[in-house]
């Protein structure tokens, strides 16, 4: 079964270009971990300072796969660069799940 996720977050105005540049050259080992954690069709879109992420989860245990991702040393290093770009970094708020209200297959 596929679970679809849509999330949004807000960047600091002065960090928008840095966040764009990071994702224009995403680290191969981070992408490998994303795939190994059963995420696919992952995209990030931007409008001003708002970022929206969409991905599909195809695994059996989302929480376990997210713990695996959090434990990955390369992903931890990646997050040292990406997380400070978020407006609510000091509060530990990054992407927040949005509620799906419509889906047409």
């Amino acid at each position: 079964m596929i679970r679809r996720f849509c999330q949004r977050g807000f960047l600091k105005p002065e960090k928008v270009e840095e966040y764009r540049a990071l994702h224009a050259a995403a680290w191969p080992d981070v992408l490998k971990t994303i795939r190994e954690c059963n995420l696919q069709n992952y995209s990030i879109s931007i409008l001003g300072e708002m970022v929206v992420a969409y991905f599909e989860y195809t695994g059996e245990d989302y929480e376990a796969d997210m713990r695996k991702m959090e434990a990955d040393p390369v992903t931890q290093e990646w997050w040292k660069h990406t997380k400070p770009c978020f407006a609510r970094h000091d509060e530990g708020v990054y992407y927040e799940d949005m509620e799906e209200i419509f889906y047409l297959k």
Side-chain angles (χ1 to χ4, degrees), residues 5-77:
F5 288 82
C6 187
Q7 303 171 323
R8 61 110 168 131
F10 294 92
L11 302 174
K12 296 173 184 171
E14 69 275 13
K15 295 286 191 173
V16 169
E17 290 309 314
E18 180 179 345
Y19 197 75
R20 282 178 174 271
L22 284 163
H23 286 85
W27 300 354
D29 286 344
V30 170
L31 301 178
K32 179 178 177 246
T33 298
I34 289 170
R35 289 184 189 100
E36 288 174 353
C37 291
N38 298 300
L39 303 184
Q40 63 182 22
N41 293 323
Y42 199 140
S43 65
I44 299 173
S45 301
I46 190 165
L47 178 63
E49 295 156 16
M50 182 178 67
V51 285
V52 175
Y54 172 84
F55 59 89
E56 297 167 356
Y57 176 73
T58 59
E60 299 297 321
D61 189 341
Y62 179 75
E63 288 75 21
D65 280 331
M66 293 305 97
R67 286 191 300 273
K68 177 181 174 181
M69 185 179 294
E70 290 171 7
D72 176 63
V74 176
T75 300
Q76 290 174 7
E77 187 63 29

